[in-house]
Amino acid sequence: MKNVAIIGAGISGLALANKIKDFSNVTIFEKSRGLGGRVATRRVNQFNFDHGAQFFKAKEEEFKDYIRPMIEKGIIDTWRARFIEIEDGTIINRRVWGEDPANYIGIPSMSSIGKFMAEGLNVKLSEKIGKAEKNNSWELFSEEDASKGKFDWVISTIPPLQCIELFPSIKSIYRNIESHKMMACYSLMLGFDKDINIDFDAALIKGTDISWISCNSSKQGRGDNYTILAHSTNKWATENIDQERGWVKNYLCEELSKIIERDMSKASYIGLQGWRYANIEKQNGQDFFIDKKQNIAFCGDWFIQGRIESAYISGARLGEELLAELV
Ligand SMILES: Cc1cc2nc3c(=O)[nH]c(=O)nc-3n(C[C@H](O)[C@H](O)[C@H](O)COP(=O)(O)OP(=O)(O)OC[C@H]3O[C@@H](n4cnc5c(N)ncnc54)[C@H](O)[C@@H]3O)c2cc1C
């Protein structure tokens, strides 16, 4: 069987690995300590925060089919959030999310999804790939230049700018790589000793530098400790991604306090995550890129849209295409 290396254990890398695992020797290299990439959960003291993806929809039949077993096993459930939309300080919409279309979450955390998808796969966690070289086969190296093995195929699921750093000759392989632009996002995480009783679970905000607020603890299985999660707009984060983190935290805290009319600096825990490559504008091109002469391919949400479903589709469809090369 052919040896295949996948760089990244996010949803696209795991979807791809699941498609090809019975027909090849797959090794997944993941730089972080956890599975699922941007579908992530941070645990601090008694608090849980889904600080990346908040929830997801399933529109395509192939994705609905894929998640059905996870729904049956209780890994995924519907979030019946009390939802509002705020525009320029006024609530313009208020409803409770239902089943059609359902907004899904991982149970008991968003990171449960990646953990489930990785079952039975050979994933090397805390293994950052720093260099990739092609001679007769592909060889991957750590940042310290230690060889991580030789492979017949290498597939990268990491953001486009990071791909360019990893594969110096990439522009001659995939000329359009620079056309995929990604935007940043900040996640502000607040934990409270007691319930602060805001009257919504999820809010879409327009007209401020904060675009999203959720009461994370309103999701099933998140424990009893009250938590709020807010996202900045992609525009504001992209303009301020290199700012000092203490300043960003204070600014977003003040903005949030104005929107929900409570002093958020009184939270017993305040955390911040900056995502340099969080989201993309909707793309209308291909689902993935594959070069069958060089034995290299790229997939990830950045080919389609910054959504869990898009990451799955990109990885799974590349897997289907790759199968013909592996058997
Ligand atoms: C703040 C935020 C909010 C979001 N909200 C939603 C939402 O509500 N609904 C929704 O559907 N989607 C949402 N998304 C988007 C969704 O999370 C992504 O579309 C999806 O998770 C992307 O999966 P992926 O596999 O393409 O990439 P990633 O999840 O980014 O996976 C790539 C993996 O590669 C690893 N990696 C990177 N470099 C290396 C290296 N050199 N060596 C080894 N490993 C490496 C990374 O650690 C990562 O795990 C959100 C994203 C963010 C950041």
Side-chain angles (χ1 to χ4, degrees), residues 53-71:
Q54 299 294 293
F55 66 90
F56 66 96
K57 287 186 163 47
K59 293 180 183 162
E60 305 265 355
E61 286 309 315
E62 64 191 280
F63 187 53
K64 287 182 187 167
D65 289 345
Y66 182 75
I67 64 168
R68 198 164 293 122
M70 280 197 259
I71 295 172

Side-chain angles (χ1 to χ4, degrees), residues 8 11-12 30-31 37-38 52-55 129 158 301 307-308:
I11 301 301
S12 61
E30 169 53 54
K31 74 173 177 186
R38 279 171 274 154
Q54 299 294 293
F55 66 90
I129 298 302
I158 70 179
D301 67 339
R307 293 284 175 268
I308 291 177

Side-chain angles (χ1 to χ4, degrees), residues 88-102:
D88 298 324
T90 306
I91 297 176
I92 56 163
N93 186 0
R94 189 185 278 277
R95 65 179 190 277
V96 175
W97 282 344
E99 288 289 345
D100 195 16

